[in-house]
Amino acid sequence: MLKLRTLNCSARRAHVLRRWFSETGSGSRLTRPASGTIPQPPEPINLALPSSAEPFIKYSDAFVDRGYTKSDIFLHPDFISDDEHDLLVRSCNKKLKRLANTYEMGHFDKRINNYRECSVSAWLPHKRGVAGRVSQAMDRGVDPDPVDLPDRASNGKSAGWTTVGKYDGQIRHILDRVWDLFPASFTWLPPHILDLHEDGEILPHVDNPEYSGFVVGGLCLLGPAVSTFKHVDDPNVRVDVLLSPKSLYFMTNRIRYQFTHEITVDPSQRAWMGQPVARARRISLMFRDAKEPEGGWSSLVSAAIPSF
């Protein structure tokens, strides 16, 4: 949900990024982008809410009365199995230990506390990412990644690859089910691991459209949390979602940039059906589509080729 943080970015870079956000008022907990063109999909994104999602979503009366589309917040409980959940947790923990070993108390835009994060390019098939789109724009074929194949032979032994992680193939097959919910024309950024400490929180904010595409979502791992979405001009227009482990959620269409999103430590908002939701460490494996350049993917080709 938050803009991907570049590891080891300079203080100057952080200052440049920070200017895109503005406070809505003195002491406000809400941040909305100060500039940037809101990306619009060619046609509305329609993800069908499964009936199993109903107990996990609460729409305010104002949300319903004003005709907002319920499925703009997509939730699929138990999207993955117990075994898949445990595999993802183990793999995320290994990536975090290597790439982001300690929790950080603050994000450059001041909207997230007590967290750590990293991106995992190995889990994104070449054909689904920006590199694949650029290859197509150059009229080159997209080479299949070895990791697109099962990473275990039929006898259960390793297939013997040395260029990818032991379970990266299995993970890609899990994540393919997420990407397959959307049109094949979508271009994806590498999956992003966001680890929120049990004392961590995400303050209400709207993503910066300069760095975001049409959708953002995540696979929920470990502890549960309540995520709240409020219209930027009227907080009475809101949706509360219980994000339980193994669930998949997405923000699309009007929810994407007209609503703030947050996960708070406020006990009054960490309750569901009158019962408190215990604070616990949680991992979100985040999915965001890439914002296509104004000149199309081919413009990246021309920009990368020097003229003589």
Side-chain angles (χ1 to χ4, degrees):
M1 291 180 180
L2 295 163
K3 181 195 174 292
L4 304 186
R5 179 177 58 85
T6 302
L7 296 177
N8 300 321
C9 68
S10 66
R12 180 178 180 275
R13 171 66 172 163
H15 175 74
V16 171
L17 294 175
R18 195 178 293 120
R19 68 186 172 88
W20 289 101
F21 293 84
S22 65
E23 297 291 344
T24 58
S26 176
S28 172
R29 287 166 55 88
L30 165 65
T31 296
R32 70 175 70 187
S35 63
T37 302
I38 303 297
Q40 299 292 336
E43 56 186 38
I45 298 165
N46 295 311
L47 297 178
L49 274 172
S51 58
S52 59
E54 185 175 348
F56 299 90
I57 306 179
K58 294 188 294 187
Y59 307 95
S60 70
D61 291 339
F63 182 94
V64 176
D65 293 342
R66 298 185 189 183
Y68 285 93
T69 304
K70 291 183 176 181
S71 60
D72 284 358
I73 289 283
F74 172 80
L75 181 70
H76 193 306
D78 293 321
F79 185 80
I80 55 177
S81 68
D82 290 338
D83 288 343
E84 290 171 334
H85 171 274
D86 294 345
L87 171 62
L88 288 172
V89 170
R90 291 194 303 270
S91 299
C92 286
N93 280 334
K94 289 181 180 178
K95 300 293 185 183
L96 289 165
K97 183 177 181 180
R98 183 167 62 89
L99 300 173
N101 194 36
T102 59
Y103 288 93
E104 299 190 25
M105 294 309 299
H107 196 264
F108 72 84
D109 61 14
K110 305 177 184 178
R111 293 302 121 186
I112 182 169
N113 302 314
N114 221 337
Y115 75 101
R116 54 182 179 162
E117 61 181 355
C118 65
S119 294
V120 189
S121 58
W123 294 349
L124 178 69
H126 180 76
K127 62 187 178 184
R128 293 192 185 270
V130 173
R133 293 288 179 245
V134 172
S135 295
Q136 292 172 349
M138 297 175 68
D139 293 325
R140 295 181 179 178
V142 179
D143 295 332
D145 289 320
V147 78
D148 281 334
L149 304 174
D151 61 355
R152 291 282 176 177
S154 58
N155 60 5
K157 295 183 179 181
S158 171
W161 299 337
T162 59
T163 57
V164 297
K166 182 177 181 181
Y167 297 106
D168 285 353
Q170 288 186 31
I171 291 173
R172 282 199 182 184
H173 286 295
I174 296 171
L175 305 191
D176 268 341
R177 304 206 308 266
V178 177
W179 293 312
D180 283 344
L181 294 172
F182 296 89
S185 59
F186 269 47
T187 304
W188 296 93
L189 297 172
H192 181 68
I193 302 171
L194 177 60
D195 180 355
L196 196 63
H197 190 275
E198 65 176 80
D199 295 323
E201 66 176 337
I202 300 174
L203 300 179
H205 70 283
V206 178
D207 287 343
N208 193 325
E210 286 295 309
Y211 308 109
S212 304
F214 305 136
V215 301
V216 65
L219 269 173
C220 303
L221 310 173
L222 296 177
V226 176
S227 187
T228 300
F229 305 83
K230 298 178 183 178
H231 195 279
V232 294
D233 295 321
D234 186 352
N236 293 315
V237 181
R238 64 182 283 171
V239 184
D240 294 284
V241 181
L242 178 60
L243 299 175
S244 57
K246 301 187 295 180
S247 63
L248 173 71
Y249 73 93
F250 268 97
M251 301 165 55
T252 69
N253 300 322
R254 289 192 288 179
I255 294 288
R256 182 71 177 96
Y257 292 106
Q258 294 182 22
F259 284 67
T260 64
H261 51 275
E262 63 182 294
I263 293 177
T264 180
V265 294
D266 182 352
S268 66
Q269 288 185 237
R270 291 192 61 88
W272 198 260
M273 304 297 289
Q275 299 297 318
V277 176
R279 286 158 61 170
R281 177 193 173 208
R282 68 184 301 271
I283 292 176
S284 293
L285 185 55
M286 308 295 298
F287 305 92
R288 292 157 33 118
D289 63 310
K291 185 176 182 180
E292 185 172 357
E294 291 185 4
W297 298 114
S298 59
S299 65
L300 297 181
V301 178
S302 58
I305 299 177
S307 57
F308 297 95

